[in-house]
Amino acid sequence: MCGILGIASRTDEVFAEIYDGLLMLQHRGQDASGIVTYTGENFRERKENGLVKDVFQPSDAETLRGHIGMGHVRYPTAGSLSASEAQPFFVNAPYGIYLVHNGNITNTEEQREKVTEKYSRHLRTTSDSEILLNVLADKVADAIKVNGNADPIRNIFAGVKMTMERVQGAYSVICLIAGVGMLAFRDPHGIRPLSVAKRDAEGDGDDYAFASEDVAFGINGFQKLRDLKPGEAILIDLDGNKHEFQAVEGKLTPCIFEYVYLARPDSLLDGISVYKTQMRMGQALAKQIQDSDLQIDRIIPVPDSARPVALEVAKATGIPYREGLVKNRYVGRTFIMPGQAERQKSVRRKLNAIPLEFKDHNVLLIDDSIVRGNTIKKIVQMCREAGAKKVYIASASPPVKYPNVYGIDMPTKHELIANGQTIEEIREELGADALFYQNLDDLIWAAQEGNPEIDTFDCSCFDGNYITGSVSPDYLEALESSSRVSKKIKDMPQPGASWNAPAAASHG
């Protein structure tokens, strides 16, 4: 996950606009926030663990001065939860480069060795994002050696091209480069989203913005131009001119899980409406519900992202839709609670059942996905305590069977309830009376209808097909035995047992 945003204005201070834009991207990361601005002479930076509204104060508007800047909200997927690993990251040469990154590098160890040993660079963190920044800096420096420094934009684009040829995995990136401007680029597969927008600077030309999702544009008066192409780089120089460069020829293969869960429903990613995709997911899922011939009295979504799916299932089947679960929006994230009992109790802090919608009824719960299974299992118990006769579950996505290595917190198969288990075994573990999963072909159809020009999506967490290099069985085995994962599964029961996994740590 993670959310990134950059704004290059010709006339205005950008701190307040970056702040507002990050609020619109807060759903992509809630662990840390960071903003850096540039005056044309000096960088100004602030980053810390916490939500955007807690990290930044009104007084920062004076400190973080500049007409160009960028921000990041972090959801950790590799590294640690230390505030030192909050983004943006900085290297002082060449030029002076700040970077924010959404995604995850898959040949991290190979690149770490090259950066630290061959190029004698010191890494301050365990983050793959810092490695990516140092690779970019190395490659820009190599371009300067070949071309000289008369044309920095040429050198930067050359550095991006060499970086893409060297780094594997998923990365959408925004950089601030001293004396040059703002750079954005997207990996050759376009796995994670990134788009560009502009607005009229009232006779002074155009202002530009980049963001993970276009919901960050409207609040600041920007109009989306388009999504970055896979393997493309765009640079906005300090005079406000836009330079485009196709660094590597790529093929667009966006992450399908963005449309299931990660992105906001009001976002448009690579020409596909997230909301419309979720509606089509409901239409496809309804066919399974109808064919089951189960007696269902209520369709109840697990708030919030399952609502469009549940509404379409109800419409197609004629079964009444009800809001039977009320969400408390003022409770912290479950995984940060100190112990398993506390984490499990936190589910009840976050959700409360309306007994009238459950008592003596057969209910169908619809969730966007079932990853670890801990939360939905507790919800099933809650429904039974509220008086439900039968509790059925439908997942709007297929079974999550494989680790996601491209920037989502699914790093090890031991965490996934669907790994190594049949649907019947999963149903028993969840305590449900019936369990439905979306078919993968139907999920692909639901997204592809929005943009038929995309013929392939990254569905690796569902089908185990990793579209980039470096994701070999050896890589996955190394991930399983890494210190990051071993800390998480150290005392974990074997697959099939009930457990509550703590969160993974890092950037991306």
Side-chain angles (χ1 to χ4, degrees):
M1 295 175 72
C2 291
I4 60 177
L5 170 69
I7 297 178
S9 172
R10 287 176 175 264
T11 57
D12 298 325
E13 297 287 335
V14 297
F15 165 74
E17 294 184 336
I18 295 173
Y19 176 92
D20 288 339
L22 288 182
L23 289 177
M24 306 300 286
L25 298 175
Q26 187 74 85
H27 61 286
R28 297 189 68 88
Q30 302 171 40
D31 296 303
S33 309
I35 292 177
V36 59
T37 57
Y38 182 56
T39 64
E41 295 181 357
N42 300 306
F43 290 113
R44 314 283 180 87
E45 171 203 317
R46 177 168 173 74
K47 59 181 182 178
E48 188 57 76
N49 284 348
L51 300 173
V52 175
K53 69 179 181 64
D54 298 322
V55 170
F56 301 102
Q57 307 300 323
S59 58
D60 290 323
E62 183 61 30
T63 305
L64 299 174
R65 302 292 300 273
H67 293 171
I68 182 171
M70 63 186 189
H72 183 270
V73 288
R74 181 183 70 176
Y75 181 92
T77 54
S80 79
L81 283 169
S82 167
S84 67
E85 301 215 349
Q87 295 187 37
F89 288 128
F90 176 71
V91 292
N92 64 357
Y95 303 117
I97 305 173
Y98 268 98
L99 174 144
V100 292
H101 165 219
N102 172 213
N104 201 56
I105 306 305
T106 55
N107 59 341
T108 307
E109 293 310 311
E110 174 190 350
Q111 298 308 317
R112 187 193 311 276
E113 183 177 341
K114 288 183 178 180
V115 164
T116 56
E117 296 185 12
K118 182 178 179 181
Y119 292 94
S120 301
R121 287 181 174 268
H122 173 71
L123 298 175
R124 300 172 58 195
T125 73
T126 59
S127 169
D128 63 325
S129 302
E130 188 185 17
I131 294 172
L132 177 59
L133 170 59
N134 278 273
V135 172
L136 176 64
D138 287 339
K139 295 304 156 189
V140 172
D142 288 345
I144 292 172
K145 292 176 184 177
V146 174
N147 301 325
N149 207 15
D151 187 352
I153 294 176
R154 177 187 179 188
N155 291 331
I156 289 163
F157 281 155
V160 170
K161 176 178 175 61
M162 289 186 282
T163 297
M164 290 186 180
E165 293 169 345
R166 177 170 151 180
V167 170
Q168 296 172 345
Y171 48 91
S172 288
V173 173
I174 306 174
C175 297
L176 281 185
I177 304 172
V180 182
M182 177 175 289
L183 168 71
F185 59 93
R186 193 178 183 191
D187 75 71
H189 298 276
I191 298 173
R192 303 259 72 86
L194 187 63
S195 54
V196 58
K198 76 172 183 177
R199 70 181 175 197
D200 183 9
E202 299 181 359
D204 294 318
D206 295 318
D207 297 338
Y208 289 94
F210 300 96
S212 296
E213 296 181 40
D214 51 17
V215 292
F217 294 144
I219 191 171
N220 290 314
F222 284 92
Q223 297 293 320
K224 181 176 179 177
L225 292 175
R226 60 181 178 85
D227 300 279
L228 269 70
K229 302 171 187 175
E232 182 184 23
I234 298 177
L235 189 145
I236 311 300
D237 65 31
L238 294 181
D239 293 322
N241 302 307
K242 179 161 65 77
H243 307 264
E244 300 177 354
F245 177 63
Q246 190 65 45
V248 173
E249 291 299 326
K251 179 181 179 181
L252 182 59
T253 314
C255 173
I256 204 164
F257 209 73
E258 289 278 355
Y259 304 95
V260 172
Y261 174 76
L262 302 185
R264 280 177 40 150
D266 47 343
S267 289
L268 193 72
L269 305 181
D270 292 307
I272 301 173
S273 165
V274 175
Y275 180 68
K276 291 288 188 181
T277 298
Q278 292 173 349
M279 291 177 65
R280 289 188 287 267
M281 289 160 58
Q283 295 164 14
L285 193 58
K287 298 174 184 178
Q288 289 191 55
I289 308 303
Q290 290 172 316
D291 292 343
S292 70
D293 292 327
L294 291 174
Q295 177 60 44
I296 302 172
D297 303 314
R298 298 281 191 275
I299 289 177
I300 295 175
V302 176
D304 290 311
S305 51
R307 285 195 176 100
V309 179
L311 282 166
E312 286 300 305
V313 172
K315 178 181 176 181
T317 60
I319 301 170
Y321 171 94
R322 295 290 186 268
E323 291 282 351
L325 297 170
V326 178
K327 186 174 183 179
N328 182 349
R329 303 181 185 278
Y330 303 98
V331 175
R333 296 177 60 189
T334 308
F335 75 80
I336 63 174
M337 299 299 173
Q340 181 172 350
E342 191 71 11
R343 286 194 296 270
Q344 292 178 346
K345 190 199 302 187
S346 182
V347 174
R348 294 181 178 269
R349 292 194 187 109
K350 296 170 83 169
L351 290 174
N352 193 50
I354 301 176
L356 289 175
E357 296 300 339
F358 291 96
K359 186 173 177 56
D360 298 326
H361 291 306
N362 299 330
V363 300
L364 173 64
L365 297 175
I366 297 185
D367 206 351
D368 52 64
S369 58
I370 302 172
V371 180
R372 297 169 176 86
N374 304 304
T375 299
I376 192 68
K377 183 176 182 179
K378 286 293 178 183
I379 293 172
V380 170
Q381 295 174 2
M382 191 185 303
C383 295
R384 295 198 187 282
E385 291 169 5
K389 289 195 300 183
K390 299 283 187 180
V391 181
Y392 311 121
I393 300 173
S395 168
S397 66
V400 179
K401 296 181 178 181
Y402 303 94
N404 185 290
V405 300
Y406 297 132
I408 305 174
D409 184 19
M410 303 175 195
T412 164
K413 63 185 179 183
H414 291 287
E415 298 180 79
L416 309 176
I417 192 172
N419 177 64
Q421 296 205 90
T422 66
I423 291 179
E424 177 61 19
E425 288 170 337
I426 299 169
R427 180 197 67 76
E428 291 181 0
E429 184 169 338
L430 297 179
D433 296 291
L435 175 61
F436 303 89
Y437 276 104
Q438 184 82 265
N439 294 320
L440 181 55
D441 287 344
D442 288 338
L443 176 59
I444 293 172
W445 164 81
Q448 203 168 42
E449 280 289 296
N451 185 355
E453 294 183 4
I454 301 176
D455 57 19
T456 308
F457 291 86
D458 168 55
C459 305
S460 54
C461 60
F462 303 125
D463 62 11
N465 180 25
Y466 299 98
I467 61 174
T468 69
S470 300
V471 190
S472 63
D474 289 343
Y475 172 87
L476 295 174
E477 184 178 346
L479 181 63
E480 295 285 339
S481 60
S482 69
S483 59
R484 163 192 162 198
V485 171
S486 62
K487 290 178 182 177
K488 300 173 66 175
I489 65 175
K490 180 179 178 182
D491 301 315
M492 189 187 71
Q494 293 300 310
S498 176
W499 62 285
N500 194 323
S506 178
H507 302 75

